[in-house]
């Protein structure tokens, strides 16, 4: 047996890089094994919305692990809600005057069908140092890592001054009903670490860590229905007003309208730092120019023309669905469209709906907010205490890797806290190649080389924020 194959018996069998790079690091045999064990067991539990939803069993899996790790059973609450459940587990700190640190995640996953996947999505498989299965990256692995790290902290004899609450919602991917309940229950928190946001990028060729992003803000998701109705009539006798034509005119206006360019401290810093990793020189130049001056028209035009950048410079609204008419030979009595918006932090859904009304400028076009499960949320502040703790933790786990703030275009559980005034940050220490990002998609995966540095990072971060 060679040394390499001996190493391959350990959890971190994978690329030569991960084995060598981590060999000098501290190891956590129990916590490393537990991370993989919990992640695999969680993936095997089909926690998908609807018939046969087993999210409650994932809650029990994590709850039992915490109890075995020293938590009082009375400090673990598992609450069923509709076909799902959520878990809140408390580790009491010695100083009751300090507001708790909340560690947040979710247990549900997006549907995955056996016939679409190369492997059964609900049978975890480890191959060449990579864990495959639905939830491997979003976010059962990250949940298992956070739970195992907390248990490790307790195993090492740590006693927090500040109470640590770990909570996992049960419907983040769908209705977010449990997410809203949890945020309301924990709105007294000092701050929230969302382990389902942020993360690092690995170089496609070498697999070396390139940079790590943390998420401090997210855009608000909104859907508006545009609708034109009239009495219609026979198509041989057209009326001056036509519902389809009126709606089309409104859609043309929406399609060409640009919301004002905006920036906040997080996106300003993002453009400045991420420019170094842009693959096209014109995009890199535009990112730097926009960071320095959000009114730079040339930079703005370049960024708006790039689908991966346009969402970072302001609110976007785009028609996504269309319907109308009821017969080939009848004037349409109804025409409708859905406008999907991603609203820049700092604006309400009402404000953007009113702006769309001004753009369309036709009282015959009725606009209604039909958004489900989304609230507007402000960007979280760049807190020096958090930044210091995060920089130190990342420095221990991945020395020299640059840290870049980011604003997400979608919605996570963080918005439910931010909307209540509790700062929340996506701080996952998991790294992957862009080409390996299969969250919500096929053959979802995560690298086991994330385990050891992930534990190093969490031990440092959790300690610094609660000691
Ligand atoms: Zn997620």
């Amino acid at each position: 047996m060679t040394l390499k194959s001996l190493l391959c018996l350990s959890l971190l069998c994978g690329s030569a890089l991960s084995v060598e790079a981590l060999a000098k690091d501290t190891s956590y045999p129990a916590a490393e094994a537990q991370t993989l064990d919990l992640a695999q067991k969680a993936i095997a539990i089909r926690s998908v919305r609807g018939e046969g939803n087993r999210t409650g069993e994932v809650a029990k899996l994590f709850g039992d692990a915490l109890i075995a790790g020293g938590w009082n059973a009375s400090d673990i609450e598992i609450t069923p809600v509709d076909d799902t459940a959520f878990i809140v587990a408390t580790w009491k700190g010695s100083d009751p005057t300090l507001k708790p640190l909340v560690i947040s995640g979710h247990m549900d996953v997006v549907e995955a069908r056996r016939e679409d996947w190369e492997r059964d999505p609900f049978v975890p498989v480890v191959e060449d140092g990579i864990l495959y299965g639905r939830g491997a990256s979003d976010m059962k692995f990250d949940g298992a890592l956070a739970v195992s790290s907390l248990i490790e902290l307790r195993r090492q004899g740590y006693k927090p001054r500040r109470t640590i609450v770990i909570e996992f919602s049960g419907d983040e991917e769908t209705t977010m009903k449990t997410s809203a309940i949890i945020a309301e229950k924990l709105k007294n928190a000092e701050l929230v670490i969302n382990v389902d946001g942020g993360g690092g990028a690995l170089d496609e060729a070498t697999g070396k860590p390139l940079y790590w992003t943390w998420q401090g803000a997210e855009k608000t998701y909104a859907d508006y229905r545009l609708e034109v109705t009239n009495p219609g009539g026979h198509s041989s006798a057209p009326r001056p007003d036509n519902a389809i034509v009126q709606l089309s005119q409104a859609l043309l206006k929406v399609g060409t309208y640009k919301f004002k360019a905006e920036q906040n401290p997080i996106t300003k810093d993002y453009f400045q730092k991420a420019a170094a990793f842009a693959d096209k020189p014109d995009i890199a130049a535009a990112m730097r120019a926009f960071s320095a001056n959000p009114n730079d028209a040339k930079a703005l035009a370049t960024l708006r023309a790039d689908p991966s950048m346009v969402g970072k410079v302001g609110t976007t609204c785009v028609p996504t669905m269309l319907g109308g008419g009821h017969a080939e030979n009848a004037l349409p009595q109804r025409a409708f469209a859905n406008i999907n918006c991603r609203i820049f932090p700092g604006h309400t859904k009402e404000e953007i709906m009113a702006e769309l009304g001004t753009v369309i400028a036709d009282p015959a076009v009725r606009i209604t907010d039909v958004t489900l499960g989304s609230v507007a949320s402000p960007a979280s502040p760049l807190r020096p205490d958090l930044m210091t703790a995060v920089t130190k933790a990342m420095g221990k786990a991945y020395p020299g890797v640059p840290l870049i703030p980011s604003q997400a275009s979608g919605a996570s559980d963080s918005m439910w806290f931010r909307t209540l005034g509790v700062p929340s940050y996506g701080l996952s220490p998991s790294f992957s190649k862009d080409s390996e990002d299969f969250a919500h998609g096929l053959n979802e995966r995560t690298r086991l080389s994330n385990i050891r540095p992930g534990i190093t990072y969490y031990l440092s971060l959790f300690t610094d924020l609660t000691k």
Side-chain angles (χ1 to χ4, degrees), residues 10-32:
S10 79
L11 291 176
L12 295 170
C13 172
S15 63
L17 172 86
S18 45
V19 174
E20 282 156 22
L22 298 171
K24 59 184 183 295
D25 292 351
T26 320
S27 69
Y28 318 93
E32 289 173 42

Side-chain angles (χ1 to χ4, degrees), residues 106 108 137-139 172-173 196 440:
H106 65 89
D108 56 314
S137 70
D138 186 13
M139 57 140 287
E172 193 265 357
E173 300 289 3
D196 187 33
H440 296 198

